[in-house]
Coordinates of all heavy atoms in Angstrom, one line a residue:
M1 N 123.0 131.2 113.6 CA 122.2 131.9 112.7 C 121.4 131.0 111.7 O 120.3 131.3 111.4 CB 123.1 133.0 112.0 CG 122.3 133.9 111.1 SD 121.2 134.9 112.1 CE 120.6 136.0 110.9
G2 N 122.1 129.9 111.4 CA 121.4 129.0 110.4 C 120.1 128.5 110.9 O 119.2 128.3 110.2
Y3 N 120.0 128.2 112.2 CA 118.8 127.6 112.8 C 117.7 128.7 112.9 O 116.5 128.4 112.8 CB 119.1 126.9 114.1 CG 119.8 125.6 113.9 CD1 121.1 125.5 114.1 CD2 119.1 124.5 113.4 CE1 121.8 124.3 113.8 CE2 119.7 123.3 113.2 CZ 121.1 123.2 113.4 OH 121.7 122.0 113.2
V4 N 118.1 129.9 113.1 CA 117.1 131.1 113.0 C 116.6 131.2 111.7 O 115.3 131.3 111.5 CB 117.8 132.4 113.5 CG1 116.9 133.6 113.3 CG2 118.3 132.3 114.9
L5 N 117.4 131.1 110.7 CA 116.9 131.2 109.3 C 116.0 130.0 108.9 O 115.0 130.1 108.3 CB 118.1 131.2 108.3 CG 118.9 132.5 108.3 CD1 120.2 132.3 107.5 CD2 118.1 133.7 107.8
L6 N 116.4 128.8 109.5 CA 115.6 127.6 109.3 C 114.2 127.8 109.9 O 113.2 127.4 109.3 CB 116.3 126.4 109.8 CG 115.7 125.0 109.6 CD1 115.4 124.8 108.1 CD2 116.5 123.9 110.2
T7 N 114.2 128.4 111.1 CA 112.9 128.6 111.7 C 112.0 129.5 110.9 O 110.8 129.3 110.7 CB 113.1 129.2 113.1 OG1 113.9 128.4 113.9 CG2 111.8 129.5 113.8
G8 N 112.6 130.5 110.3 CA 111.8 131.4 109.4 C 111.4 130.6 108.1 O 110.2 130.9 107.6
A9 N 112.2 129.8 107.6 CA 111.8 129.0 106.4 C 110.7 128.1 106.7 O 109.7 127.9 105.9 CB 113.0 128.2 105.9
I10 N 110.7 127.5 107.9 CA 109.6 126.6 108.3 C 108.3 127.4 108.5 O 107.2 127.0 108.0 CB 109.9 125.8 109.6 CG1 111.0 124.9 109.4 CG2 108.7 125.2 110.2 CD1 111.7 124.4 110.7
A11 N 108.4 128.6 109.1 CA 107.2 129.4 109.3 C 106.6 129.8 108.0 O 105.4 129.8 107.8 CB 107.6 130.6 110.2
A12 N 107.5 130.2 107.0 CA 107.0 130.7 105.7 C 106.4 129.5 105.0 O 105.3 129.7 104.3 CB 108.2 131.3 104.9
E13 N 106.9 128.3 105.0 CA 106.4 127.1 104.4 C 105.0 126.8 104.9 O 104.1 126.4 104.2 CB 107.4 126.0 104.5 CG 107.0 124.8 103.6 CD 106.2 123.8 104.4 OE1 106.3 123.7 105.6 OE2 105.4 123.0 103.8
V14 N 104.9 126.8 106.3 CA 103.7 126.5 106.9 C 102.6 127.5 106.6 O 101.4 127.2 106.3 CB 103.8 126.4 108.5 CG1 102.5 126.3 109.2 CG2 104.7 125.2 108.8
A15 N 103.0 128.8 106.6 CA 102.0 129.9 106.2 C 101.6 129.6 104.7 O 100.4 129.8 104.4 CB 102.6 131.2 106.4
A16 N 102.5 129.3 103.8 CA 102.1 129.1 102.4 C 101.2 127.9 102.2 O 100.3 128.0 101.5 CB 103.4 128.9 101.6
T17 N 101.5 126.9 103.0 CA 100.6 125.7 102.9 C 99.2 126.0 103.4 O 98.3 125.6 102.8 CB 101.3 124.5 103.6 OG1 102.5 124.3 103.1 CG2 100.4 123.3 103.5
T18 N 99.2 126.7 104.5 CA 97.9 127.1 105.0 C 97.1 128.0 104.1 O 95.9 127.8 103.8 CB 98.0 127.8 106.4 OG1 98.8 126.9 107.3 CG2 96.7 128.1 107.0
A19 N 97.8 129.0 103.5 CA 97.2 129.9 102.5 C 96.7 129.1 101.3 O 95.6 129.4 100.7 CB 98.2 130.9 102.1
M20 N 97.4 128.0 100.9 CA 97.0 127.2 99.7 C 95.7 126.6 100.0 O 94.8 126.4 99.1 CB 98.1 126.1 99.5 CG 97.8 125.4 98.2 SD 98.9 124.0 97.8 CE 100.5 124.6 98.2
K21 N 95.4 126.2 101.3 CA 94.1 125.6 101.6 C 93.0 126.6 101.3 O 92.0 126.2 100.8 CB 94.1 125.2 103.1 CG 92.8 124.8 103.6 CD 92.3 123.5 103.1 CE 91.0 123.1 103.9 NZ 90.5 121.9 103.3
Y22 N 93.3 127.9 101.6 CA 92.3 128.9 101.3 C 92.2 129.4 99.9 O 91.3 130.2 99.6 CB 92.5 130.1 102.3 CG 92.2 129.7 103.7 CD1 93.2 129.5 104.7 CD2 90.9 129.6 104.2 CE1 92.9 129.1 106.0 CE2 90.6 129.3 105.5 CZ 91.6 129.0 106.4 OH 91.3 128.7 107.7
S23 N 93.2 129.0 99.1 CA 93.2 129.5 97.7 C 92.1 128.9 96.8 O 91.9 129.3 95.7 CB 94.6 129.3 97.1 OG 94.8 127.9 96.8
D24 N 91.6 127.8 97.3 CA 90.5 127.1 96.6 C 90.9 126.7 95.2 O 90.4 127.1 94.2 CB 89.2 128.0 96.5 CG 88.0 127.2 96.1 OD1 88.0 126.0 96.4 OD2 87.1 127.8 95.5
G25 N 92.1 126.0 95.2 CA 92.6 125.5 93.9 C 93.2 126.6 93.1 O 93.2 126.6 91.9
F26 N 93.8 127.6 93.7 CA 94.3 128.8 93.1 C 93.3 129.7 92.4 O 93.6 130.3 91.4 CB 95.5 128.5 92.3 CG 96.7 128.0 93.0 CD1 97.2 126.7 92.8 CD2 97.4 128.7 94.0 CE1 98.2 126.1 93.6 CE2 98.5 128.3 94.7 CZ 98.9 127.0 94.5
S27 N 92.0 129.6 92.8 CA 91.0 130.4 92.2 C 90.8 131.7 92.9 O 90.0 132.5 92.4 CB 89.7 129.6 92.0 OG 89.2 129.3 93.3
R28 N 91.3 131.8 94.1 CA 91.1 133.0 94.9 C 92.5 133.8 94.9 O 93.5 133.2 95.2 CB 90.7 132.7 96.3 CG 89.3 132.1 96.3 CD 88.8 131.7 97.7 NE 88.7 132.9 98.4 CZ 88.9 133.0 99.8 NH1 89.2 131.8 100.4 NH2 88.8 134.1 100.4
L29 N 92.5 135.0 94.5 CA 93.7 135.8 94.3 C 94.7 135.9 95.5 O 95.8 135.5 95.5 CB 93.4 137.2 93.8 CG 94.7 138.1 93.5 CD1 95.6 137.5 92.4 CD2 94.2 139.5 93.2
W30 N 94.2 136.5 96.6 CA 95.1 136.8 97.7 C 95.6 135.6 98.4 O 96.8 135.5 98.7 CB 94.5 137.8 98.7 CG 94.3 139.1 98.0 CD1 93.1 139.8 97.6 CD2 95.3 139.9 97.5 NE1 93.4 140.9 96.9 CE2 94.7 141.1 96.8 CE3 96.8 139.8 97.4 CZ2 95.5 142.1 96.2 CZ3 97.5 140.9 96.8 CH2 96.8 141.9 96.2
P31 N 94.8 134.5 98.6 CA 95.5 133.3 99.2 C 96.5 132.7 98.2 O 97.5 132.2 98.7 CB 94.3 132.4 99.4 CG 93.1 133.3 99.6 CD 93.4 134.4 98.7
S32 N 96.3 132.8 96.9 CA 97.2 132.3 95.9 C 98.5 133.1 96.0 O 99.6 132.5 95.9 CB 96.5 132.4 94.5 OG 95.4 131.6 94.5
V33 N 98.4 134.4 96.1 CA 99.6 135.3 96.2 C 100.4 134.9 97.5 O 101.6 134.8 97.4 CB 99.2 136.8 96.1 CG1 100.4 137.6 96.5 CG2 98.6 137.1 94.7
L34 N 99.6 134.8 98.6 CA 100.3 134.4 99.8 C 101.0 133.1 99.7 O 102.1 132.9 100.2 CB 99.3 134.4 101.0 CG 98.9 135.8 101.5 CD1 97.8 135.6 102.5 CD2 100.0 136.6 102.0
T35 N 100.4 132.2 99.0 CA 101.0 130.8 98.8 C 102.4 131.0 98.1 O 103.4 130.5 98.5 CB 100.1 129.9 98.1 OG1 98.9 129.7 98.8 CG2 100.7 128.6 97.8
A36 N 102.3 131.7 97.0 CA 103.5 131.9 96.1 C 104.6 132.6 96.9 O 105.8 132.2 96.9 CB 103.1 132.6 94.8
V37 N 104.3 133.7 97.5 CA 105.2 134.5 98.3 C 105.8 133.7 99.5 O 107.0 133.7 99.7 CB 104.6 135.8 98.8 CG1 105.5 136.5 99.8 CG2 104.3 136.7 97.6
G38 N 105.0 132.9 100.1 CA 105.4 132.1 101.2 C 106.4 131.1 100.8 O 107.4 130.8 101.5
Y39 N 106.2 130.4 99.7 CA 107.1 129.4 99.2 C 108.4 130.0 98.7 O 109.5 129.4 98.9 CB 106.5 128.5 98.1 CG 105.6 127.4 98.7 CD1 104.3 127.4 98.4 CD2 106.1 126.5 99.6 CE1 103.4 126.4 99.0 CE2 105.3 125.5 100.2 CZ 103.9 125.5 99.9 OH 103.2 124.5 100.4
V40 N 108.3 131.2 98.1 CA 109.6 131.8 97.7 C 110.4 132.2 98.9 O 111.6 131.9 98.9 CB 109.3 133.0 96.8 CG1 110.5 133.9 96.6 CG2 108.7 132.6 95.4
V41 N 109.8 132.8 99.9 CA 110.5 133.1 101.1 C 111.1 131.9 101.8 O 112.2 131.9 102.2 CB 109.6 133.9 102.0 CG1 110.2 134.1 103.4 CG2 109.3 135.3 101.5
A42 N 110.3 130.8 101.8 CA 110.7 129.6 102.5 C 112.0 129.1 101.8 O 113.0 128.7 102.4 CB 109.6 128.5 102.5
F43 N 112.0 129.0 100.5 CA 113.2 128.4 99.8 C 114.4 129.4 99.8 O 115.5 128.9 99.9 CB 112.8 128.1 98.3 CG 112.1 126.8 98.2 CD1 110.7 126.8 98.0 CD2 112.8 125.6 98.4 CE1 110.1 125.5 97.9 CE2 112.1 124.4 98.3 CZ 110.7 124.3 98.1
L44 N 114.1 130.7 99.8 CA 115.3 131.6 100.0 C 115.9 131.4 101.4 O 117.1 131.4 101.5 CB 114.8 133.0 99.8 CG 114.4 133.5 98.4 CD1 113.8 134.9 98.4 CD2 115.7 133.4 97.5
L45 N 115.1 131.3 102.4 CA 115.7 131.2 103.7 C 116.3 129.8 103.9 O 117.3 129.7 104.5 CB 114.6 131.4 104.8 CG 114.0 132.8 104.9 CD1 112.8 132.8 105.9 CD2 115.1 133.7 105.4
L46 N 115.7 128.7 103.3 CA 116.3 127.4 103.3 C 117.6 127.4 102.6 O 118.6 126.9 103.1 CB 115.4 126.4 102.8 CG 115.9 125.0 102.8 CD1 116.1 124.5 104.2 CD2 114.9 124.0 102.1
A47 N 117.8 128.1 101.5 CA 119.0 128.2 100.8 C 120.1 128.9 101.7 O 121.3 128.4 101.7 CB 118.8 129.0 99.5
Q48 N 119.7 129.9 102.4 CA 120.7 130.6 103.2 C 121.1 129.7 104.4 O 122.2 129.7 104.9 CB 120.1 132.0 103.8 CG 119.9 133.0 102.7 CD 121.2 133.3 102.0 OE1 122.2 133.6 102.6 NE2 121.1 133.2 100.6
T49 N 120.1 128.9 104.9 CA 120.3 128.0 106.0 C 121.4 127.0 105.6 O 122.3 126.7 106.4 CB 119.1 127.3 106.4 OG1 118.1 128.2 106.8 CG2 119.3 126.2 107.4
L50 N 121.4 126.6 104.4 CA 122.3 125.6 103.9 C 123.8 126.0 103.8 O 124.7 125.2 103.7 CB 121.9 125.0 102.6 CG 120.6 124.3 102.6 CD1 120.2 123.8 101.2 CD2 120.5 123.2 103.6
R51 N 124.0 127.3 104.1 CA 125.4 127.8 104.2 C 126.1 127.3 105.4 O 127.3 127.2 105.5 CB 125.4 129.3 104.1 CG 125.1 129.9 102.8 CD 125.1 131.4 102.9 NE 125.3 131.9 101.5 CZ 125.4 133.2 101.3 NH1 125.3 134.1 102.3 NH2 125.6 133.6 100.1
T52 N 125.3 127.1 106.5 CA 125.9 126.7 107.8 C 125.3 125.4 108.4 O 125.9 124.9 109.3 CB 125.7 127.8 108.8 OG1 124.3 128.1 108.9 CG2 126.4 129.1 108.4
V53 N 124.3 124.9 107.8 CA 123.7 123.7 108.4 C 123.7 122.6 107.3 O 123.4 122.9 106.1 CB 122.2 123.9 108.9 CG1 121.6 122.6 109.4 CG2 122.2 125.0 109.9
S54 N 124.1 121.4 107.6 CA 124.1 120.3 106.6 C 122.7 120.1 106.0 O 121.7 120.3 106.6 CB 124.6 119.0 107.2 OG 123.7 118.5 108.1
V55 N 122.7 119.7 104.7 CA 121.5 119.6 103.9 C 120.6 118.6 104.5 O 119.4 118.8 104.6 CB 121.8 119.4 102.4 CG1 122.4 118.1 102.2 CG2 120.5 119.6 101.6
G56 N 121.1 117.5 105.0 CA 120.3 116.4 105.5 C 119.6 116.8 106.8 O 118.4 116.6 107.0
T57 N 120.3 117.5 107.7 CA 119.8 118.0 108.9 C 118.8 119.1 108.7 O 117.7 119.0 109.3 CB 120.9 118.5 109.9 OG1 121.8 117.4 110.1 CG2 120.3 119.0 111.2
A58 N 119.1 120.0 107.9 CA 118.2 121.1 107.6 C 116.9 120.6 107.0 O 115.8 121.0 107.4 CB 118.9 122.1 106.7
Y59 N 117.0 119.8 106.0 CA 115.8 119.3 105.3 C 114.9 118.4 106.3 O 113.7 118.5 106.2 CB 116.1 118.5 104.0 CG 114.9 118.3 103.2 CD1 114.4 119.4 102.5 CD2 114.3 117.1 103.1 CE1 113.2 119.2 101.7 CE2 113.1 116.9 102.4 CZ 112.6 118.0 101.7 OH 111.5 117.7 100.9
A60 N 115.6 117.6 107.1 CA 114.9 116.8 108.0 C 114.1 117.6 109.0 O 112.9 117.4 109.3 CB 115.8 115.8 108.8
I61 N 114.7 118.7 109.5 CA 114.0 119.6 110.4 C 112.9 120.4 109.7 O 111.8 120.4 110.2 CB 115.0 120.5 111.1 CG1 116.0 119.8 112.0 CG2 114.3 121.6 111.9 CD1 117.1 120.6 112.5
W62 N 113.2 120.9 108.5 CA 112.3 121.7 107.8 C 111.0 120.9 107.4 O 109.9 121.3 107.7 CB 113.0 122.2 106.5 CG 112.1 123.1 105.6 CD1 111.5 124.3 106.1 CD2 111.8 123.0 104.3 NE1 110.9 124.9 105.0 CE2 111.1 124.1 103.9 CE3 112.2 122.0 103.3 CZ2 110.6 124.2 102.6 CZ3 111.7 122.2 102.0 CH2 111.0 123.3 101.6
S63 N 111.2 119.7 106.9 CA 110.1 118.9 106.4 C 109.3 118.3 107.7 O 108.1 118.3 107.7 CB 110.5 117.8 105.5 OG 111.4 116.9 106.1
G64 N 110.1 117.8 108.6 CA 109.4 117.2 109.8 C 108.6 118.2 110.6 O 107.5 118.0 110.9
L65 N 109.2 119.3 111.0 CA 108.5 120.3 111.8 C 107.5 121.0 111.0 O 106.4 121.3 111.6 CB 109.5 121.2 112.5 CG 110.5 120.6 113.5 CD1 111.3 121.7 114.1 CD2 109.7 119.9 114.6
G66 N 107.7 121.2 109.7 CA 106.7 121.8 108.9 C 105.5 120.9 108.8 O 104.3 121.3 108.9
T67 N 105.7 119.6 108.6 CA 104.6 118.6 108.5 C 103.8 118.6 109.9 O 102.6 118.7 109.9 CB 105.1 117.3 108.2 OG1 105.7 117.3 107.0 CG2 104.0 116.2 108.2
A68 N 104.5 118.6 111.0 CA 103.9 118.6 112.3 C 103.0 119.8 112.5 O 101.9 119.7 113.0 CB 104.9 118.4 113.4
A69 N 103.6 120.9 112.1 CA 102.9 122.2 112.3 C 101.6 122.3 111.5 O 100.5 122.7 111.9 CB 103.8 123.4 112.0
V70 N 101.7 121.8 110.2 CA 100.5 121.8 109.4 C 99.4 120.9 109.9 O 98.2 121.2 109.9 CB 100.9 121.5 107.9 CG1 99.7 121.2 107.1 CG2 101.7 122.6 107.3
V71 N 99.9 119.7 110.5 CA 98.9 118.8 111.1 C 98.2 119.5 112.2 O 97.0 119.4 112.4 CB 99.5 117.5 111.5 CG1 98.6 116.7 112.4 CG2 99.9 116.7 110.3
V72 N 98.9 120.2 113.1 CA 98.3 120.9 114.2 C 97.4 122.0 113.8 O 96.3 122.1 114.2 CB 99.4 121.5 115.1 CG1 98.8 122.4 116.2 CG2 100.2 120.3 115.8
I73 N 97.8 122.8 112.8 CA 97.0 123.8 112.2 C 95.7 123.2 111.6 O 94.6 123.8 111.8 CB 97.7 124.7 111.2 CG1 98.8 125.6 111.9 CG2 96.8 125.6 110.4 CD1 99.8 126.2 111.0
G74 N 95.8 122.2 110.9 CA 94.6 121.5 110.3 C 93.7 121.0 111.3 O 92.5 121.1 111.2
T75 N 94.2 120.5 112.4 CA 93.4 119.9 113.5 C 92.8 121.0 114.3 O 91.5 121.0 114.5 CB 94.2 119.1 114.4 OG1 94.8 118.0 113.7 CG2 93.4 118.4 115.5
V76 N 93.5 122.1 114.7 CA 93.0 123.1 115.6 C 92.1 124.1 114.8 O 91.1 124.5 115.3 CB 94.2 123.8 116.3 CG1 93.7 125.0 117.1 CG2 94.9 122.8 117.2
F77 N 92.6 124.6 113.6 CA 91.9 125.7 113.0 C 91.0 125.3 111.8 O 90.2 126.1 111.4 CB 92.9 126.7 112.5 CG 93.7 127.3 113.7 CD1 95.0 127.0 113.9 CD2 93.1 128.2 114.5 CE1 95.7 127.5 114.9 CE2 93.8 128.8 115.6 CZ 95.1 128.5 115.8
L78 N 91.3 124.1 111.2 CA 90.6 123.8 109.9 C 89.6 122.6 110.1 O 89.0 122.2 109.2 CB 91.6 123.5 108.8 CG 92.6 124.6 108.5 CD1 93.6 124.1 107.5 CD2 91.9 125.8 108.0
G79 N 89.5 122.2 111.4 CA 88.5 121.1 111.6 C 88.8 119.8 111.1 O 87.9 118.9 111.0
E80 N 90.1 119.5 110.8 CA 90.5 118.2 110.4 C 90.6 117.3 111.6 O 91.0 117.7 112.6 CB 91.8 118.3 109.5 CG 91.7 119.1 108.3 CD 93.0 119.3 107.6 OE1 94.0 118.8 108.1 OE2 93.0 120.0 106.5
G81 N 90.3 116.0 111.4 CA 90.4 115.1 112.4 C 91.8 114.7 112.8 O 92.7 114.7 111.9
L82 N 92.0 114.3 114.0 CA 93.3 113.8 114.5 C 93.1 112.4 115.0 O 92.7 112.2 116.2 CB 93.9 114.7 115.5 CG 95.3 114.3 116.1 CD1 96.3 114.3 114.9 CD2 95.8 115.2 117.2
T83 N 93.4 111.4 114.2 CA 93.2 110.0 114.6 C 94.5 109.6 115.3 O 95.6 110.3 115.3 CB 93.0 109.1 113.4 OG1 94.3 109.2 112.5 CG2 91.8 109.6 112.5
V84 N 94.4 108.5 116.0 CA 95.6 107.9 116.7 C 96.7 107.6 115.6 O 97.8 107.9 115.9 CB 95.2 106.6 117.4 CG1 96.4 105.9 118.0 CG2 94.2 106.9 118.5
T85 N 96.3 107.1 114.5 CA 97.3 106.8 113.4 C 98.0 108.1 113.0 O 99.3 108.1 112.8 CB 96.6 106.2 112.2 OG1 95.9 105.0 112.7 CG2 97.6 105.7 111.1
K86 N 97.2 109.2 112.7 CA 97.8 110.4 112.3 C 98.8 111.0 113.4 O 99.9 111.4 113.1 CB 96.8 111.5 112.0 CG 97.3 112.7 111.3 CD 96.3 113.8 111.1 CE 95.4 113.4 109.9 NZ 94.5 114.6 109.6
F87 N 98.3 110.9 114.6 CA 99.2 111.4 115.8 C 100.5 110.5 115.8 O 101.5 111.1 116.0 CB 98.4 111.3 117.1 CG 99.2 111.7 118.3 CD1 99.3 113.1 118.5 CD2 99.8 110.8 119.1 CE1 100.0 113.5 119.6 CE2 100.6 111.3 120.2 CZ 100.7 112.6 120.4
A88 N 100.3 109.2 115.7 CA 101.5 108.4 115.7 C 102.5 108.7 114.6 O 103.7 108.7 114.8 CB 101.1 106.9 115.7
G89 N 101.9 109.0 113.4 CA 102.8 109.4 112.3 C 103.6 110.6 112.5 O 104.8 110.7 112.3
V90 N 102.9 111.6 113.1 CA 103.6 112.9 113.4 C 104.6 112.7 114.5 O 105.8 113.2 114.4 CB 102.6 114.0 113.8 CG1 103.3 115.2 114.4 CG2 101.7 114.3 112.7
A91 N 104.3 111.9 115.5 CA 105.3 111.5 116.6 C 106.5 110.9 116.0 O 107.6 111.2 116.4 CB 104.6 110.7 117.6
L92 N 106.3 110.0 115.1 CA 107.4 109.3 114.4 C 108.3 110.2 113.6 O 109.5 110.1 113.6 CB 106.9 108.1 113.5 CG 106.4 106.9 114.3 CD1 105.8 105.9 113.3 CD2 107.6 106.2 115.1
I93 N 107.7 111.2 112.9 CA 108.4 112.2 112.2 C 109.3 113.0 113.1 O 110.5 113.2 112.9 CB 107.5 113.1 111.4 CG1 106.9 112.3 110.2 CG2 108.2 114.3 110.8 CD1 105.7 113.1 109.6
I94 N 108.7 113.5 114.2 CA 109.5 114.3 115.2 C 110.6 113.4 115.8 O 111.7 113.9 116.0 CB 108.5 114.9 116.2 CG1 107.6 115.9 115.6 CG2 109.3 115.5 117.4 CD1 106.5 116.4 116.5
A95 N 110.3 112.2 116.1 CA 111.3 111.3 116.7 C 112.5 111.1 115.7 O 113.6 111.1 116.1 CB 110.7 110.0 117.1
G96 N 112.1 111.0 114.4 CA 113.2 110.9 113.4 C 114.0 112.1 113.3 O 115.3 112.0 113.2
V97 N 113.5 113.3 113.4 CA 114.3 114.5 113.4 C 115.2 114.6 114.6 O 116.3 114.9 114.5 CB 113.3 115.8 113.4 CG1 114.1 117.1 113.6 CG2 112.6 115.8 112.0
V98 N 114.7 114.2 115.8 CA 115.5 114.2 117.0 C 116.6 113.2 116.8 O 117.8 113.5 117.2 CB 114.6 113.8 118.2 CG1 115.5 113.6 119.4 CG2 113.6 114.9 118.5
V99 N 116.3 112.0 116.3 CA 117.4 111.0 116.1 C 118.5 111.5 115.2 O 119.7 111.4 115.5 CB 116.8 109.6 115.6 CG1 117.9 108.7 115.2 CG2 116.0 109.0 116.8
L100 N 118.1 112.1 114.1 CA 119.1 112.6 113.1 C 119.9 113.7 113.8 O 121.1 113.7 113.6 CB 118.3 113.3 111.9 CG 117.9 112.3 110.8 CD1 117.1 113.1 109.8 CD2 119.1 111.7 110.2
N101 N 119.4 114.5 114.6 CA 120.1 115.6 115.2 C 121.0 115.1 116.4 O 122.1 115.6 116.6 CB 119.2 116.7 115.7 CG 118.7 117.6 114.6 OD1 119.6 118.2 114.0 ND2 117.5 117.6 114.4
T102 N 120.6 114.1 117.1 CA 121.4 113.6 118.2 C 122.3 112.5 117.7 O 123.3 112.2 118.4 CB 120.5 113.1 119.4 OG1 119.7 112.0 118.9 CG2 119.7 114.2 120.0
G103 N 122.1 112.0 116.5 CA 122.9 110.9 116.1 C 124.1 111.3 115.2 O 124.6 110.5 114.5
G104 N 124.4 112.6 115.3 CA 125.6 113.0 114.5 C 125.4 113.3 113.1 O 126.3 113.2 112.3
A105 N 124.1 113.8 112.7 CA 123.9 114.1 111.3 C 124.4 115.5 110.9 O 124.3 115.9 109.8 CB 122.3 114.1 111.1
H106 N 125.1 116.2 111.9 CA 125.6 117.5 111.6 C 126.8 117.4 110.8 O 127.8 117.5 110.8 CB 125.9 118.3 112.9 CG 124.6 118.4 113.7 ND1 123.6 119.3 113.4 CD2 124.2 117.8 114.8 CE1 122.6 119.2 114.3 NE2 123.0 118.3 115.2

């Protein structure tokens, strides 16, 4: 159940970060509200996740996959460039999460 909650936390954080892009520096009401609600939901779900998943593992997965998802959204939907360096950075983040999970970080 912890990893299901963690998936929800990641989704909420990614949605909040995407909404923040559209908030125009928090000058637009509804994207700003979505940002705030998304982060509240993300932290609530992350807090519940930590009941059953170790903090290091949960945070590594949350931040790593969240970062990778935001890079993909930025590239596909927001017209941001994907350089070889940016791609390599995301690949290293994902590799780090995999190493933590297979290396006994539980």
